[in-house]
Amino acid sequence: MLAVLGAAAQSRTPQQAAAAESFRTVQDDTGRTVRIPVPVRRVVSLAPSMTESVYALGLDELLVGDTDYCDYPEAATRKTRVGGATNPNIEIVASLKPDVVLLTKSLNRLETVQALERLGIAAYATDPHTVDDIRTSVRRLGDVLGNAAAGESLDARLRAQEDLLREKLRSRAAKRALFVVWTDPLISVGQHTFIADALQHAGAVSVVDSRQDWPQMSLEEMVRLQPDVLVFASNHSEAVARDVDALARRPGWDALEAVKQRRFAVISDAVNRPAPRLFAAMEDLARQLHPEAFAQATDRVTPAGNPPAAPEKN
């Protein structure tokens, strides 16, 4: 099977063959050395966050394939589907003759990277753990795909949004928040995740002190900590409101003041992906937690015309 796939991967058009005569060596976020053809003409993304980043860079004409879960922007759903992020169809990936395949360490498997390498297909991975890491990753991605200016421009816009948000919240006391990934069992986010860092940028601090990325917490511990607010990622605020009402009727949950007082915030699922839309989700959360900091109707951090956050799973 690998021999067949290898033949498919190497059966390039004359133009691709000529382009493949030139290469550059880069280091990805995981420390791997990756040999990238120059110029990059064809890209496959194996992570929704990478797909979003390619579109945010304005380089979507290079994208020839992505996963079943790449749902933003809507145009991404019309690319050739290569399966799931953790179980992509390597035969389909190879048939698309990509110059580079994009992955994220937190989502994609090492076995996928190894399979691509055996076929001689460049696999470039990112591994952001903070909001600033996300900016750095998209800037470097622009360079890897042959358009450093696009990466620098996007990085500058995101940095400006970040700086403006920080200025707005400068004198605001951080809210103690519980980011709820799941309620039964209760799962939150660890301190060393980009989501926890995004909470801080939005004027909150997670009450969960864990080195695990997705720690399972006891309700008793949360009752002891008494977070000021519960934060949910969803595109259906009405459904979350019903969920909070339901939580208040569950044994133990009514001991949380945030539940009894219905102190909760709902932001887009975009917060779950380390991609540029995270910055809009941060502002949305900041507006809910600190409305007094955005008293004027014109006090927007995200420039007008930016697409609204939409649901996604990384």
Side-chain angles (χ1 to χ4, degrees):
M1 174 63 75
L2 286 180
V4 173
L5 294 180
Q10 296 177 22
S11 60
R12 298 171 177 264
T13 65
Q15 294 83 357
Q16 289 175 314
E21 293 175 0
S22 178
F23 292 87
R24 60 185 293 216
T25 300
V26 301
Q27 190 174 66
D28 71 9
D29 287 2
T30 69
R32 294 173 50 257
T33 297
V34 186
R35 197 164 177 253
I36 306 285
V38 178
V40 172
R41 299 180 186 275
R42 299 175 66 82
V43 174
V44 169
S45 168
L46 295 185
S49 61
M50 298 302 287
T51 298
E52 288 199 20
S53 296
V54 171
Y55 274 90
L57 287 163
L59 302 178
D60 46 286
E61 74 281 357
L62 302 177
L63 192 66
V64 295
D66 58 23
T67 75
D68 298 340
Y69 300 98
C70 293
D71 54 9
Y72 188 90
E74 196 274 335
T77 64
R78 297 192 290 273
K79 300 293 184 177
T80 299
R81 298 304 213 183
V82 301
T86 58
N87 59 342
N89 187 314
I90 299 298
E91 184 173 2
I92 295 177
V93 173
S95 73
L96 294 173
K97 304 179 181 63
D99 294 309
V100 62
V101 174
L102 306 177
L103 313 94
T104 63
K105 182 180 178 180
S106 63
L107 178 64
N108 302 109
R109 297 186 305 157
L110 178 60
E111 291 83 354
T112 299
V113 174
Q114 293 169 337
L116 294 169
E117 288 179 334
R118 285 195 294 270
L119 295 175
I121 300 174
Y124 180 87
T126 63
D127 186 30
H129 291 271
T130 67
V131 169
D132 286 348
D133 285 349
I134 295 172
R135 286 195 299 98
T136 299
S137 290
V138 295
R139 184 182 69 245
R140 294 184 62 196
L141 181 60
D143 181 54
V144 166
L145 298 183
N147 195 327
E152 295 289 345
S153 176
L154 179 56
D155 178 27
R157 296 198 303 274
L158 296 177
R159 181 187 291 274
Q161 292 179 29
E162 185 180 344
D163 290 345
L164 283 170
L165 187 57
R166 182 181 298 111
E167 182 62 29
K168 290 232 175 255
L169 300 176
R170 185 177 300 279
S171 61
R172 312 294 168 178
K175 303 282 188 176
R176 299 173 63 256
L178 170 63
F179 187 92
V180 181
V181 176
W182 200 254
T183 59
D184 191 15
L186 177 57
I187 297 175
S188 187
V189 294
Q191 290 288 353
H192 301 294
T193 61
F194 67 86
I195 296 178
D197 191 47
L199 290 178
Q200 293 189 25
H201 279 71
V205 60
S206 175
V207 297
V208 175
D209 184 13
S210 174
R211 292 185 175 275
Q212 298 179 35
D213 286 350
W214 309 103
Q216 181 174 327
M217 312 302 299
S218 72
L219 182 56
E220 292 76 14
E221 177 68 3
M222 290 303 102
V223 170
R224 184 184 70 80
L225 292 172
Q226 288 295 340
D228 299 326
V229 61
L230 306 184
V231 180
F232 298 86
S234 174
N235 291 288
H236 305 287
S237 56
E238 300 85 358
V240 171
R242 291 194 297 271
D243 290 344
V244 172
D245 288 339
L247 284 179
R249 295 190 293 271
R250 285 194 200 173
W253 281 90
D254 58 350
L256 280 174
E257 285 297 321
V259 172
K260 285 198 294 188
Q261 301 298 326
R262 294 176 56 82
R263 296 197 302 263
F264 65 94
V266 184
I267 56 176
S268 164
D269 275 359
V271 74
N272 290 327
R273 290 180 180 174
R277 283 193 309 141
L278 175 75
F279 289 74
M282 290 189 321
E283 181 188 346
D284 184 20
L285 179 57
R287 285 176 173 275
Q288 295 182 58
L289 298 182
H290 303 281
E292 69 283 357
F294 300 86
Q296 302 299 320
T298 57
D299 283 352
R300 292 209 61 82
V301 172
T302 305
N306 274 22
E312 49 190 55
K313 293 286 186 291
N314 194 7

